[in-house]
Amino acid sequence: MSGMTSIYVGVSGIHAAQTALNTTAHNLANVYTPGYTRQLAFSSDKRYATYSRNSNGIMQVGLGVNASSTSRVRSLLLDLRYRKEVGRQGFYDAQYEAISEVQTLIGEMEGVRFQESLENLWGAISEMAKTPDSLVYRSELVMNAEMFLDRAKSIYDELIGYQKNLNTKVQQTVDTINAYGEEINELNKQISGYEAAGEAANDLRDRRDLLLDKLSGLINISYVEEENHYVTIKAEGVPFVTDGGVFHMETAELDADKGSNYLSCIWPHLDNQEVFNLTEEISTANKNDIGTLKGYLLARGDFVGKYTDVEATRQENYDLTTPQGQADYQAALDFYNRNVDCSAIVKTQSLFDALINGIVTTINDILSPTTTEVPNGVTTFTDAEGNVYQAGTVKILDMNTSTGDDGEMPPEELFSRAETKRFIEVTGDDGNTYYMYNEYNTFGKESLYTLSNITMNQTIVENYDKLPFKTLEGDNDMAKGQQLVEAWDLKFANLDPDNTTKLTFKEYYKEMMYSIGNAGNLYQSIALNQYTTASQVDDARTQITGVSSEEELANMIRFQSAWDASSRYVTTIAEMLEYIIEKLG
């Protein structure tokens, strides 16, 4: 082997050691860089010089070492596993966040604050029932009724406010997903350019992998690296990032038919097809409980819930002895399961509104009762505008009731609907005046006793004498007071389709809070399990990809020694050549 060849061997060793030192220094500089993957410098034999061939073999001399590549240390399988687990964690974190907020809005975990409003209203009714003509007890009833309604409306409004907040989070999450897609697309271009020229793009790949980690927590993705080094991504089974660019996700208001102005997620490039099918059962078994965005959408729901959503599922509202009745009931149940029961906020709104509606309508129906019984000889009623109503299809005031101290008909209700009179005056075809229950407000729209529509009756607030506790004979109506007291112990409704037992107001509230708390515990348990699983996978991944400063410092010493050895080798060969040239000429 010639002397110059020997120098080349030593120089190649210096280059290989220097490359390893540079790689080690780069690892140490990025110990705390998020998403950084430990890199290794690999060496390989350079070509060999052949000097002779004979029957015993080939005589070859190596020409040194070659710093062949600098590669990342990464497990593709652990990456895939981590991204699936962190996606599920994102979904259940969003669900738990929503149910926790619901618990906070309604009150403490035991529901103490609103329960006090219920107890105070019940106490005021009990006291007034003993002496219904007492202005003191009447004022306490009205005051506690106002506090009860204010507290209930405040809770309901806060639930709607949080629903709007989640709507904002949906938009922000969609914007983040699109931003990640754009950055991944740009990284694809850079990585492809560098690696097509034979250069390693390890740091760019680290950034791309970090974005894939983040993206997988927001939405269900699948991905593959193509031959041109592009990573193409599908989101919810639809192409999102391709070698042709990014197909952005957008939001739109699609649920106007449900009275909603909340956002849905759509793919504009697919004729505004919805990104998620939230009508299907979402579960781990179906592998679709993935992504923070889906968690937000599901928890938020598509509309503001009200008592009619749960009222529609009550079996007593249907004739289940007929095929049509069974079909109607099943349709209502399917709607509830797809749109109400799956949403923490919509379900709470519906159940809470049903409780308030039950209390309000029970009190009003006692103070200002209606009946469907038709007066003798009456077949139609006519209002002041000439509209005709068939007797038996409408409710009218039960005239055998008490009135306010002034004896005027119809008697006042305690709770009213906004811009809506409880009764309108009609004339029967027998020539007598009746009072028909009014279902529409002054704008001609259906008016319900929902929390968004209930107000205190200002006539009673301004004049307690209007409370209807005088019989037609002018005596105190003790029976009506007792009827109000007894109403609190009546079984007024079941909680939801899964709980068919009729409950009193107090029992209903406790069961509702238990149901919310149970859902919170369930989501918390799943979220914690997912966090633990994702953390364990990430820890296993970090064992491979992470940088150990101690290990890298040891490598630094080892590669420095290799560099020194190669340097001394070159020096020795140089001295030998110098000696040969000077001494031997």
Side-chain angles (χ1 to χ4, degrees):
M1 182 174 66
S2 68
M4 294 302 296
T5 300
S6 297
I7 287 181
Y8 296 151
V9 170
V11 170
S12 71
I14 290 175
H15 287 164
Q18 187 62 57
T19 300
L21 282 170
N22 291 342
T23 301
T24 302
H26 189 59
N27 286 339
L28 285 169
N30 289 278
V31 169
Y32 301 109
T33 301
Y36 180 78
T37 302
R38 180 166 61 98
Q39 298 179 13
L40 292 179
F42 291 93
S43 299
S44 60
D45 294 344
K46 260 189 175 180
R47 63 186 179 84
Y48 287 79
T50 301
Y51 284 90
S52 65
R53 296 174 183 270
N54 54 47
S55 59
N56 294 324
I58 303 174
M59 180 180 177
Q60 291 181 318
V61 176
L63 299 180
V65 64
N66 186 41
S68 58
S69 65
T70 302
S71 302
R72 302 183 308 153
V73 182
R74 200 166 186 104
S75 169
L76 298 180
L77 290 178
L78 285 177
D79 281 343
L80 184 63
R81 174 77 187 282
Y82 173 76
R83 288 161 187 165
K84 287 297 182 185
E85 297 301 338
V86 83
R88 288 196 174 93
Q89 179 188 336
F91 176 83
Y92 288 107
D93 278 345
Q95 294 285 78
Y96 177 58
E97 175 189 330
I99 204 73
S100 296
E101 186 68 18
V102 167
Q103 290 175 319
T104 301
L105 292 178
I106 292 184
E108 287 75 20
M109 294 295 289
E110 299 298 327
V112 174
R113 291 175 60 189
F114 187 71
Q115 191 165 346
E116 286 179 354
S117 299
L118 281 175
E119 295 290 351
N120 291 339
L121 179 59
W122 154 246
I125 289 175
S126 299
E127 290 299 321
M128 199 200 64
K130 300 173 184 175
T131 34
D133 59 344
S134 168
L135 286 179
V136 173
Y137 291 137
R138 288 188 179 198
S139 67
E140 286 186 1
L141 172 61
V142 174
M143 179 186 68
N144 281 288
E146 282 189 288
M147 292 174 61
F148 161 80
L149 185 58
D150 287 345
R151 176 62 183 145
K153 290 176 76 70
S154 175
I155 291 172
Y156 194 69
D157 290 343
E158 286 172 343
L159 287 170
I160 295 174
Y162 181 63
Q163 206 171 17
K164 292 178 179 178
N165 183 40
L166 282 182
N167 198 54
T168 301
K169 287 187 176 184
V170 167
Q171 182 63 63
Q172 292 172 343
T173 305
V174 168
D175 292 341
T176 301
I177 289 172
N178 288 332
Y180 287 163
E182 284 290 346
E183 189 172 354
I184 290 172
N185 185 54
E186 289 302 314
L187 288 168
N188 278 340
K189 295 176 183 177
Q190 295 177 47
I191 292 169
S192 180
Y194 278 113
E195 297 190 350
E199 296 184 41
N202 292 331
D203 289 348
L204 295 176
R205 283 180 170 274
D206 285 345
R207 177 59 185 169
R208 187 170 68 180
D209 278 326
L210 180 61
L211 290 173
L212 286 172
D213 287 349
K214 293 182 177 181
L215 187 62
S216 65
L218 301 179
I219 192 169
N220 188 13
I221 64 170
S222 59
Y223 55 91
V224 63
E225 183 170 347
E226 306 291 349
E227 291 182 359
N228 58 1
H229 309 296
Y230 272 62
V231 164
T232 59
I233 303 171
K234 288 185 177 181
E236 294 294 330
V238 172
F240 175 51
V241 178
T242 69
D243 54 7
V246 183
F247 295 100
H248 282 196
M249 184 190 306
E250 292 186 7
T251 57
E253 298 175 7
L254 300 182
D255 296 301
D257 59 324
K258 300 176 184 176
S260 169
N261 57 359
Y262 293 138
L263 299 174
S264 297
C265 301
I266 59 172
W267 296 114
H269 67 288
L270 296 177
D271 295 326
N272 294 336
Q273 171 186 313
E274 286 201 60
V275 175
F276 302 100
N277 178 14
L278 298 179
T279 61
E280 66 179 359
E281 182 183 359
I282 297 177
S283 65
T284 302
N286 291 337
K287 299 180 181 180
N288 58 358
D289 55 340
I290 296 175
T292 300
L293 180 57
K294 181 181 283 188
Y296 282 152
L297 286 167
L298 202 64
R300 184 206 65 192
D302 292 331
F303 53 89
V304 176
K306 54 182 182 290
Y307 78 90
T308 52
D309 299 319
V310 66
E311 181 70 24
T313 66
R314 308 215 189 277
Q315 294 185 3
E316 60 267 24
N317 296 328
Y318 301 89
D319 184 0
L320 298 180
T321 62
T322 66
Q324 185 60 51
Q326 294 173 6
D328 291 343
Y329 172 71
Q330 189 59 48
L333 198 59
D334 290 343
F335 180 87
Y336 181 86
N337 290 333
R338 290 196 310 268
N339 298 281
V340 180
D341 190 56
C342 59
S343 168
I345 296 180
V346 176
K347 182 177 181 178
T348 302
Q349 289 169 336
S350 300
L351 297 182
F352 189 64
D353 194 43
L355 172 63
I356 305 306
N357 171 266
I359 294 173
V360 165
T361 54
T362 296
I363 293 174
N364 281 348
D365 287 346
I366 292 174
L367 296 180
S368 187
T370 61
T371 180
T372 55
E373 292 184 9
V374 179
N376 291 333
V378 176
T379 58
T380 60
F381 299 106
T382 306
D383 63 19
E385 297 178 356
N387 298 311
V388 178
Y389 307 88
Q390 296 297 315
T393 63
V394 295
K395 295 186 289 187
I396 60 173
L397 171 67
D398 184 352
M399 302 296 286
N400 298 315
T401 185
S402 53
T403 67
D405 291 353
D406 56 12
E408 292 183 0
M409 288 287 188
E412 296 290 340
E413 58 185 352
L414 181 59
F415 301 98
S416 296
R417 295 160 291 167
E419 305 292 336
T420 311
K421 293 181 179 180
R422 183 171 177 81
F423 295 104
I424 58 174
E425 193 171 299
V426 294
T427 303
D429 53 8
D430 61 352
N432 294 323
T433 298
Y434 297 93
Y435 301 96
M436 184 181 75
Y437 179 78
N438 180 27
E439 296 183 349
Y440 301 95
N441 60 23
T442 55
F443 307 106
K445 295 183 178 180
E446 184 181 24
S447 187
L448 303 172
Y449 287 98
T450 68
L451 272 167
S452 59
N453 197 42
I454 301 173
T455 64
M456 287 298 296
N457 185 345
Q458 290 303 307
T459 300
I460 286 182
V461 171
E462 295 168 4
N463 185 358
Y464 304 146
D465 289 340
K466 288 289 187 177
L467 278 168
F469 283 98
K470 289 291 184 182
T471 65
L472 297 177
E473 291 77 24
D475 300 323
N476 286 337
D477 194 341
M478 303 298 293
K480 179 157 290 189
Q482 187 60 32
Q483 192 178 358
L484 282 172
V485 171
E486 293 173 352
W488 285 79
D489 292 324
L490 295 178
K491 308 286 187 178
F492 87 104
N494 58 299
L495 185 65
D496 58 35
D498 294 329
N499 300 271
T500 57
T501 303
K502 297 287 186 180
L503 305 168
T504 66
F505 298 134
K506 293 179 182 179
E507 291 171 344
Y508 185 99
Y509 179 70
K510 290 179 180 178
E511 285 296 318
M512 182 183 75
M513 292 304 299
Y514 174 78
S515 174
I516 295 171
N518 190 49
N521 291 336
L522 176 62
Y523 286 133
Q524 182 184 33
S525 176
I526 297 175
L528 286 175
N529 286 338
Q530 282 302 132
Y531 172 78
T532 300
T533 302
S535 296
Q536 289 173 345
V537 175
D538 195 37
D539 288 344
R541 192 171 65 157
T542 303
Q543 292 294 320
I544 299 173
T545 65
V547 177
S548 168
S549 56
E550 293 181 359
E551 183 180 344
E552 296 302 324
L553 287 172
N555 287 338
M556 182 75 75
I557 295 172
R558 181 161 61 92
F559 296 137
Q560 181 65 50
S561 298
W563 192 95
D564 290 342
S566 296
S567 178
R568 285 196 300 271
Y569 176 83
V570 170
T571 301
T572 300
I573 294 299
E575 291 174 349
M576 290 174 59
L577 288 173
E578 182 181 2
Y579 179 83
I580 292 172
I581 293 172
E582 290 181 353
K583 299 298 182 180
L584 303 179

PDB file of all heavy atoms in Angstrom, residues 180-193:
ATOM      1  N   TYR A 180     -51.935  23.414  10.306  1.00  0.00           N
ATOM      2  CA  TYR A 180     -51.029  22.266  10.342  1.00  0.00           C
ATOM      3  C   TYR A 180     -50.891  21.657   8.953  1.00  0.00           C
ATOM      4  O   TYR A 180     -49.794  21.253   8.527  1.00  0.00           O
ATOM      5  CB  TYR A 180     -51.539  21.209  11.320  1.00  0.00           C
ATOM      6  CG  TYR A 180     -51.379  21.571  12.784  1.00  0.00           C
ATOM      7  CD1 TYR A 180     -52.088  20.888  13.765  1.00  0.00           C
ATOM      8  CD2 TYR A 180     -50.525  22.587  13.189  1.00  0.00           C
ATOM      9  CE1 TYR A 180     -51.947  21.202  15.115  1.00  0.00           C
ATOM     10  CE2 TYR A 180     -50.380  22.910  14.531  1.00  0.00           C
ATOM     11  CZ  TYR A 180     -51.093  22.215  15.490  1.00  0.00           C
ATOM     12  OH  TYR A 180     -50.953  22.529  16.809  1.00  0.00           O
ATOM     13  N   GLY A 181     -52.006  21.536   8.250  1.00  0.00           N
ATOM     14  CA  GLY A 181     -51.968  20.978   6.899  1.00  0.00           C
ATOM     15  C   GLY A 181     -51.092  21.803   5.967  1.00  0.00           C
ATOM     16  O   GLY A 181     -50.302  21.241   5.186  1.00  0.00           O
ATOM     17  N   GLU A 182     -51.199  23.126   6.056  1.00  0.00           N
ATOM     18  CA  GLU A 182     -50.390  24.001   5.215  1.00  0.00           C
ATOM     19  C   GLU A 182     -48.910  23.849   5.536  1.00  0.00           C
ATOM     20  O   GLU A 182     -48.059  23.787   4.631  1.00  0.00           O
ATOM     21  CB  GLU A 182     -50.815  25.461   5.415  1.00  0.00           C
ATOM     22  CG  GLU A 182     -52.121  25.839   4.739  1.00  0.00           C
ATOM     23  CD  GLU A 182     -51.990  25.864   3.228  1.00  0.00           C
ATOM     24  OE1 GLU A 182     -50.851  25.849   2.705  1.00  0.00           O
ATOM     25  OE2 GLU A 182     -53.036  25.882   2.548  1.00  0.00           O
ATOM     26  N   GLU A 183     -48.578  23.794   6.831  1.00  0.00           N
ATOM     27  CA  GLU A 183     -47.167  23.672   7.206  1.00  0.00           C
ATOM     28  C   GLU A 183     -46.601  22.317   6.789  1.00  0.00           C
ATOM     29  O   GLU A 183     -45.455  22.230   6.323  1.00  0.00           O
ATOM     30  CB  GLU A 183     -46.992  23.879   8.714  1.00  0.00           C
ATOM     31  CG  GLU A 183     -45.533  23.978   9.128  1.00  0.00           C
ATOM     32  CD  GLU A 183     -45.336  24.373  10.576  1.00  0.00           C
ATOM     33  OE1 GLU A 183     -46.339  24.698  11.255  1.00  0.00           O
ATOM     34  OE2 GLU A 183     -44.171  24.343  11.032  1.00  0.00           O
ATOM     35  N   ILE A 184     -47.390  21.255   6.960  1.00  0.00           N
ATOM     36  CA  ILE A 184     -46.926  19.932   6.516  1.00  0.00           C
ATOM     37  C   ILE A 184     -46.698  19.925   5.009  1.00  0.00           C
ATOM     38  O   ILE A 184     -45.719  19.339   4.509  1.00  0.00           O
ATOM     39  CB  ILE A 184     -47.940  18.844   6.924  1.00  0.00           C
ATOM     40  CG1 ILE A 184     -47.923  18.640   8.446  1.00  0.00           C
ATOM     41  CG2 ILE A 184     -47.641  17.526   6.221  1.00  0.00           C
ATOM     42  CD1 ILE A 184     -49.014  17.736   8.965  1.00  0.00           C
ATOM     43  N   ASN A 185     -47.562  20.592   4.274  1.00  0.00           N
ATOM     44  CA  ASN A 185     -47.413  20.659   2.822  1.00  0.00           C
ATOM     45  C   ASN A 185     -46.112  21.368   2.437  1.00  0.00           C
ATOM     46  O   ASN A 185     -45.392  20.926   1.532  1.00  0.00           O
ATOM     47  CB  ASN A 185     -48.608  21.389   2.216  1.00  0.00           C
ATOM     48  CG  ASN A 185     -48.582  21.390   0.702  1.00  0.00           C
ATOM     49  OD1 ASN A 185     -48.487  20.341   0.070  1.00  0.00           O
ATOM     50  ND2 ASN A 185     -48.650  22.569   0.104  1.00  0.00           N
ATOM     51  N   GLU A 186     -45.798  22.462   3.135  1.00  0.00           N
ATOM     52  CA  GLU A 186     -44.552  23.179   2.860  1.00  0.00           C
ATOM     53  C   GLU A 186     -43.340  22.321   3.230  1.00  0.00           C
ATOM     54  O   GLU A 186     -42.328  22.310   2.522  1.00  0.00           O
ATOM     55  CB  GLU A 186     -44.522  24.500   3.632  1.00  0.00           C
ATOM     56  CG  GLU A 186     -45.486  25.553   3.113  1.00  0.00           C
ATOM     57  CD  GLU A 186     -45.224  25.888   1.648  1.00  0.00           C
ATOM     58  OE1 GLU A 186     -44.044  26.092   1.286  1.00  0.00           O
ATOM     59  OE2 GLU A 186     -46.194  25.935   0.878  1.00  0.00           O
ATOM     60  N   LEU A 187     -43.426  21.617   4.346  1.00  0.00           N
ATOM     61  CA  LEU A 187     -42.329  20.727   4.743  1.00  0.00           C
ATOM     62  C   LEU A 187     -42.147  19.604   3.730  1.00  0.00           C
ATOM     63  O   LEU A 187     -41.014  19.181   3.449  1.00  0.00           O
ATOM     64  CB  LEU A 187     -42.595  20.153   6.134  1.00  0.00           C
ATOM     65  CG  LEU A 187     -42.459  21.139   7.296  1.00  0.00           C
ATOM     66  CD1 LEU A 187     -43.027  20.540   8.584  1.00  0.00           C
ATOM     67  CD2 LEU A 187     -40.997  21.522   7.501  1.00  0.00           C
ATOM     68  N   ASN A 188     -43.263  19.098   3.190  1.00  0.00           N
ATOM     69  CA  ASN A 188     -43.175  18.070   2.154  1.00  0.00           C
ATOM     70  C   ASN A 188     -42.309  18.550   0.984  1.00  0.00           C
ATOM     71  O   ASN A 188     -41.449  17.829   0.474  1.00  0.00           O
ATOM     72  CB  ASN A 188     -44.562  17.706   1.636  1.00  0.00           C
ATOM     73  CG  ASN A 188     -45.281  16.713   2.534  1.00  0.00           C
ATOM     74  OD1 ASN A 188     -44.656  16.014   3.323  1.00  0.00           O
ATOM     75  ND2 ASN A 188     -46.590  16.639   2.407  1.00  0.00           N
ATOM     76  N   LYS A 189     -42.559  19.784   0.566  1.00  0.00           N
ATOM     77  CA  LYS A 189     -41.818  20.338  -0.571  1.00  0.00           C
ATOM     78  C   LYS A 189     -40.331  20.457  -0.245  1.00  0.00           C
ATOM     79  O   LYS A 189     -39.462  20.101  -1.053  1.00  0.00           O
ATOM     80  CB  LYS A 189     -42.383  21.710  -0.941  1.00  0.00           C
ATOM     81  CG  LYS A 189     -43.814  21.693  -1.450  1.00  0.00           C
ATOM     82  CD  LYS A 189     -44.306  23.104  -1.705  1.00  0.00           C
ATOM     83  CE  LYS A 189     -45.773  23.123  -2.148  1.00  0.00           C
ATOM     84  NZ  LYS A 189     -46.268  24.514  -2.326  1.00  0.00           N
ATOM     85  N   GLN A 190     -40.027  20.956   0.952  1.00  0.00           N
ATOM     86  CA  GLN A 190     -38.629  21.142   1.332  1.00  0.00           C
ATOM     87  C   GLN A 190     -37.906  19.803   1.479  1.00  0.00           C
ATOM     88  O   GLN A 190     -36.780  19.632   0.990  1.00  0.00           O
ATOM     89  CB  GLN A 190     -38.552  21.920   2.647  1.00  0.00           C
ATOM     90  CG  GLN A 190     -39.072  23.348   2.550  1.00  0.00           C
ATOM     91  CD  GLN A 190     -39.043  24.050   3.902  1.00  0.00           C
ATOM     92  OE1 GLN A 190     -38.059  23.995   4.612  1.00  0.00           O
ATOM     93  NE2 GLN A 190     -40.138  24.704   4.254  1.00  0.00           N
ATOM     94  N   ILE A 191     -38.548  18.858   2.147  1.00  0.00           N
ATOM     95  CA  ILE A 191     -37.935  17.544   2.351  1.00  0.00           C
ATOM     96  C   ILE A 191     -37.690  16.861   1.013  1.00  0.00           C
ATOM     97  O   ILE A 191     -36.618  16.282   0.775  1.00  0.00           O
ATOM     98  CB  ILE A 191     -38.826  16.672   3.261  1.00  0.00           C
ATOM     99  CG1 ILE A 191     -38.837  17.241   4.682  1.00  0.00           C
ATOM    100  CG2 ILE A 191     -38.344  15.224   3.278  1.00  0.00           C
ATOM    101  CD1 ILE A 191     -39.883  16.624   5.590  1.00  0.00           C
ATOM    102  N   SER A 192     -38.670  16.926   0.140  1.00  0.00           N
ATOM    103  CA  SER A 192     -38.533  16.295  -1.172  1.00  0.00           C
ATOM    104  C   SER A 192     -37.374  16.920  -1.953  1.00  0.00           C
ATOM    105  O   SER A 192     -36.592  16.212  -2.603  1.00  0.00           O
ATOM    106  CB  SER A 192     -39.831  16.438  -1.968  1.00  0.00           C
ATOM    107  OG  SER A 192     -39.716  15.835  -3.237  1.00  0.00           O
ATOM    108  N   GLY A 193     -37.242  18.243  -1.871  1.00  0.00           N
ATOM    109  CA  GLY A 193     -36.167  18.929  -2.587  1.00  0.00           C
ATOM    110  C   GLY A 193     -34.798  18.552  -2.069  1.00  0.00           C
ATOM    111  O   GLY A 193     -33.881  18.243  -2.847  1.00  0.00           O
TER     112      GLY A 193
END
